[in-house]
Amino acid sequence: MTAAWVILALAAGTYGVRLAGVLLHDRLVLPDRLKHLLPIAAVTLLAALVATSVFTDGDRISIGLARPAGVLVGAVLAWRKAPFVVVVVAAAAVAAGLRLLGIR
């Protein structure tokens, strides 16, 4: 029961933040420097999330080769504008193939 309340509270908070962005969009004046930095902040946050999931296993740091190689293949394919399905399947295939060969 507690987990359900936590999920509902987080969902309400997320919805509130998104709604505030829509409602305050025209009323909020951001400095030009902040407007320039906001897209960079989104990319930086995404890169940090990828790095965290690539180099950790549970609650431990895991420096392997298979997972970073899969992410690298996916990143290159995404950079070359390959279809999303191809990016995901190729990245998973590289990581799985390396693990099948015994490379962690």
Side-chain angles (χ1 to χ4, degrees), residues 4 6 13 18 21 30 32 35 43 52 58 60 62-63 66 70 73 78 80 84 86 88-89 92 101-102:
V6 170
R18 288 178 176 249
L30 299 175
D32 289 337
K35 286 180 184 176
V43 171
T52 301
R60 297 180 310 159
S62 173
I63 307 294
V73 167
R80 301 300 301 168
F84 181 70
V86 173
V88 172
V89 169
L101 295 173

Side-chain angles (χ1 to χ4, degrees), residues 9-82:
L10 290 173
T14 301
Y15 183 76
V17 168
R18 288 178 176 249
L19 184 63
V22 171
L23 294 176
L24 297 176
H25 182 262
D26 293 336
R27 296 181 186 170
L28 197 61
V29 178
L30 299 175
D32 289 337
R33 178 150 174 82
L34 186 57
K35 286 180 184 176
H36 176 71
L37 290 176
L38 281 177
I40 297 170
V43 171
T44 304
L45 179 62
L46 183 60
L49 289 171
V50 168
T52 301
S53 63
V54 167
F55 296 113
T56 59
D57 186 16
D59 59 347
R60 297 180 310 159
I61 294 176
S62 173
I63 307 294
L65 184 63
R67 206 179 318 175
V71 170
L72 181 63
V73 167
V76 169
L77 288 174
W79 174 56
R80 301 300 301 168
K81 300 188 185 296

